Amino acid sequence: MTDSQGVANAADILIGRPLTIAGLLLLLVVARWILHRVVDRLVARAQDGVLPDRMSRFGLRGAAAQTATARDIATQTRRVQRAKTMGDLLKSVITGLLIAVIGTMILSELGVNIAPIIASAGIIGIALGFGAQSLVKDFLSGIFMIFEDQYGVGDVVDLGEASGTVEAVSLRVTRLRDINGTVWYVPNGEILRVGNMSQNWSRAVVDVNVGYHEDLARVERVLKDVAHDLWEDDDFDGLIIEEPEVTGVEMFTPDGITLRVLLKTAPMEQWGVARALRQRMKARFDHDGIEIALPQRVVWHREAPTPDVPPPDADAGPSPEGEEPAQS
């Protein structure tokens, strides 16, 4: 408008650069708000979890229903806390990256040579990429594990090489203790699959072998009675959450016939329930005269003939000095 280069340069300094910087700051705020909203949605989905919050209420009685409800509340609380923690971490990372990018662009507008900054960042990124690949893998795996709520502190899990009770979960490593008391530190990036034995509900699988001469229909009735009595026992109210099921004959073995009983239990209660059921089955079988199958073996005792006693005639059959079978 003034045909003056000096005025144009002054306008560029006083108006152009401030408007550009203001636009970049506005872009920072908008991008941060949008990305934080995306993180909030991810956190909300993570709070819901992969599996249902509640176990099936079919067959649950008063105390059992209250126990299951309390367990659901504790699980949901833990899941919400972990999801919020991860959400705050992601928000901090997003904010830091946006500030670094927009800050570099603002320095460029102010006339600062950003080529050395970008080159240094590239060199640092390459160095970190080659030198900390396993660390980055562990962190990324830990983030997804926490978001998906695959396991938490107190869960009994099988991680492949190690299994036991989880004592601590971090972004880099999972600490668990096995049944022998050994503490295992497993990097999250090395975990290829997770078997959680304490999520929502568990199942006790009890197999019993009976002899081939037993009446299988009678044995199944006895097993159903024993399992139903355990289900009705007040001491197991809240531990067994559904009516036990006798599936029948599972397999034929050289020693006997295998029958199977299934009991749906509260998390981490399957082992105690299975032990109690086996004890009651043994007592009932002894009372009803049902034989539990045992391995059958035939042992041959060989005695060398003495010099004073001639060897037995082959046509006369075995003698006391010959071979004599004994069965046990």
Side-chain angles (χ1 to χ4, degrees):
M1 293 177 61
T2 60
D3 293 330
S4 173
Q5 186 63 36
V7 174
N9 294 335
D12 183 59
I13 296 175
L14 299 177
I15 300 176
R17 288 184 179 177
L19 288 179
T20 303
I21 294 175
L24 292 174
L25 294 176
L26 179 62
L27 177 62
L28 170 64
V29 173
V30 173
R32 180 178 178 274
W33 180 81
I34 293 175
L35 293 177
H36 281 200
R37 288 292 300 273
V38 173
V39 171
D40 290 337
R41 291 195 175 187
L42 293 177
V43 169
R45 293 182 59 183
Q47 291 176 0
D48 295 335
V50 178
L51 297 178
D53 291 336
R54 296 176 176 81
M55 298 179 298
S56 173
R57 294 292 188 266
F58 175 76
L60 288 181
R61 295 157 286 179
Q66 295 178 1
T67 302
T69 302
R71 188 181 298 111
D72 292 339
I73 294 175
T75 302
Q76 180 66 16
T77 302
R78 184 195 72 184
R79 186 181 298 152
V80 169
Q81 292 175 349
R82 294 171 62 186
K84 287 184 177 180
T85 301
M86 292 305 305
D88 294 339
L89 174 63
L90 287 180
K91 287 181 180 180
S92 300
V93 172
I94 289 173
T95 301
L97 291 176
L98 288 177
I99 289 177
V101 174
I102 300 299
T104 303
M105 297 174 68
I106 291 175
L107 291 177
S108 177
E109 288 296 327
L110 294 177
V112 178
N113 185 11
I114 63 174
I117 299 177
I118 296 176
S120 300
I123 294 174
I124 294 175
I126 294 175
L128 290 177
F130 281 102
Q133 295 183 42
S134 60
L135 184 63
V136 174
K137 181 181 178 181
D138 293 341
F139 272 95
L140 292 178
S141 299
I143 290 174
F144 283 107
M145 286 179 183
I146 293 178
F147 259 118
E148 296 171 359
D149 193 32
Q150 297 179 10
Y151 55 84
V153 175
D155 288 346
V156 179
V157 298
D158 182 357
L159 302 182
E161 295 295 332
S163 62
T165 303
V166 178
E167 292 188 343
V169 180
S170 65
L171 288 178
R172 195 187 71 82
V173 69
T174 295
R175 187 180 79 227
L176 68 157
R177 188 181 299 270
D178 64 14
I179 193 172
N180 297 319
T182 304
V183 178
W184 295 86
Y185 295 88
V186 184
N188 294 331
E190 301 297 326
I191 300 175
L192 301 180
R193 51 97 171 147
V194 177
N196 195 324
M197 293 174 277
S198 55
Q199 202 165 42
N200 292 105
W201 56 270
S202 301
R203 173 169 284 140
V205 181
V206 180
D207 292 336
V208 59
N209 289 336
V210 298
Y212 278 98
H213 62 276
E214 296 292 342
D215 184 358
L216 295 182
R218 174 170 173 261
V219 175
E220 287 191 20
R221 288 195 300 268
V222 172
L223 291 177
K224 289 180 180 179
D225 291 341
V226 174
H228 184 76
D229 291 340
L230 189 68
W231 154 257
E232 294 291 342
D233 194 335
D234 292 337
D235 293 337
F236 293 89
D237 186 14
L239 302 182
I240 305 176
I241 61 179
E242 283 188 5
E243 179 77 25
E245 177 186 1
V246 179
T247 59
V249 177
E250 187 67 21
M251 67 178 68
F252 295 101
T253 66
D255 302 322
I257 302 175
T258 303
L259 293 92
R260 174 166 292 179
V261 183
L262 301 178
L263 301 94
K264 190 174 182 179
T265 69
M268 294 189 295
E269 300 293 341
Q270 65 269 32
W271 302 290
V273 171
R275 287 191 290 266
L277 179 62
R278 292 189 187 99
Q279 182 177 358
R280 296 193 180 200
M281 287 166 52
K282 175 63 169 59
R284 181 66 179 274
F285 281 9
D286 291 342
H287 180 271
D288 293 349
I290 299 176
E291 178 186 353
I292 297 179
L294 298 175
Q296 303 293 325
R297 296 181 179 89
V298 176
V299 180
W300 290 85
H301 297 280
R302 182 183 298 274
E303 296 180 2
T306 61
D308 298 336
V309 180
D313 188 5
D315 298 333
S319 64
E321 290 77 15
E323 294 183 353
E324 173 173 291
Q327 184 172 0
S328 63

